[in-house]
């Protein structure tokens, strides 16, 4: 369906969803994929692409998405997410799984060199359960998947 331009933080999810849509429907040809994207993205996004890209006919889908990404997810927004990421703690009524999902979502936009290590550190620091934190701290050769397993059980 069309992209809701009022929720720009969902842009990268929208693009990823489109990629899955194209794959699921066997749309592999680059030109066909581009026209499918442009016909599905919605009137607002299509109009924006027309204004931001010199020639939609000559641009590749990757170029169109890159220009739209610069518009919908500008650099200051990424910097803000890097600030928010280490500050994110598990809420009092938030499940561990929901907390981890939200951490992963924040991390996607931060472009960390080693995402798994940053996720592991934030999980350890942000968990509400001191008991789970202690178990995680006592684990040798800890990685993110191990920390998730300990935190969830």
């Amino acid at each position: 369906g069309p992209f809701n331009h009022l929720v720009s933080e969902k842009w990268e999810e929208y693009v990823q969803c489109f990629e899955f849509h194209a794959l699921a429907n066997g749309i592999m040809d680059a030109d066909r994929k581009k026209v499918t994207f442009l016909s599905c993205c919605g009137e607002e996004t299509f109009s924006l692409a027309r204004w931001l890209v010199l020639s939609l006919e000559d641009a590749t889908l990757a170029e169109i998405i890159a220009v739209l990404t610069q518009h919908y997810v500008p650099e200051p927004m990424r910097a803000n997410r890097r600030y928010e990421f280490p500050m994110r703690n598990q809420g009092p009524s938030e499940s561990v799984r929901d907390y981890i999902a939200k951490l992963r979502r924040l991390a996607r936009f931060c472009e960390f060199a080693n995402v798994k290590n940053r996720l592991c550190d934030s999980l350890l620091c942000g968990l509400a359960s001191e008991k789970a934190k202690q178990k995680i701290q006592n684990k040798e050769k800890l990685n993110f998947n191990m920390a998730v397993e300990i935190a969830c059980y």
Side-chain angles (χ1 to χ4, degrees):
F3 175 65
N4 180 356
H5 69 282
L6 299 175
V7 191
S8 62
E9 63 268 12
K10 299 265 188 185
W11 170 250
E12 288 167 321
E13 286 180 25
Y14 179 81
V15 171
Q16 186 176 25
C17 187
F18 173 79
E19 291 293 339
F20 285 126
H21 169 78
L23 186 63
N25 289 286
I27 304 169
M28 303 309 222
D29 176 74
D31 286 333
R32 185 165 175 239
K33 195 172 178 181
K34 177 177 78 171
V35 297
T36 302
F37 176 83
L38 290 170
S39 65
C40 292
C41 67
E43 185 180 334
E44 294 286 335
T45 303
F46 180 80
S47 292
L48 183 62
R50 281 186 59 218
W51 291 108
L52 294 176
V53 178
L54 289 176
S55 169
L56 289 178
E57 293 80 14
D58 296 331
T60 65
L61 178 58
E63 292 167 341
I64 293 167
I65 288 175
V67 168
L68 290 169
T69 299
Q70 288 174 351
H71 176 81
Y72 285 126
V73 190
E75 205 53 45
M77 191 179 273
R78 291 184 195 283
N80 189 36
R81 288 195 174 120
R82 279 186 172 239
Y83 173 79
E84 291 172 5
F85 181 80
M87 305 297 199
R88 181 66 168 86
N89 293 322
Q90 182 183 7
S93 61
E94 184 176 36
S95 74
V96 172
R97 291 191 188 282
D98 285 345
Y99 170 59
I100 291 168
K102 288 176 183 163
L103 266 184
R104 282 183 168 156
R105 187 179 194 311
L106 267 177
R108 274 190 36 228
F109 298 106
C110 294
E111 299 178 356
F112 294 128
N114 191 326
V115 176
K116 293 282 187 173
N117 283 350
R118 294 296 299 260
L119 281 166
C120 191
D121 293 345
S122 285
L123 178 61
L124 175 60
C125 296
L127 275 175
S129 167
E130 290 300 322
K131 186 177 177 182
K133 284 183 187 182
Q134 198 63 38
K135 283 182 182 178
I136 293 170
Q137 287 173 345
N138 291 333
K139 191 74 173 170
E140 284 188 44
K141 296 183 181 180
L142 180 69
N143 64 42
F144 179 64
N145 292 338
M146 293 165 74
V148 168
E149 190 175 313
I150 293 167
C152 289
Y153 300 103

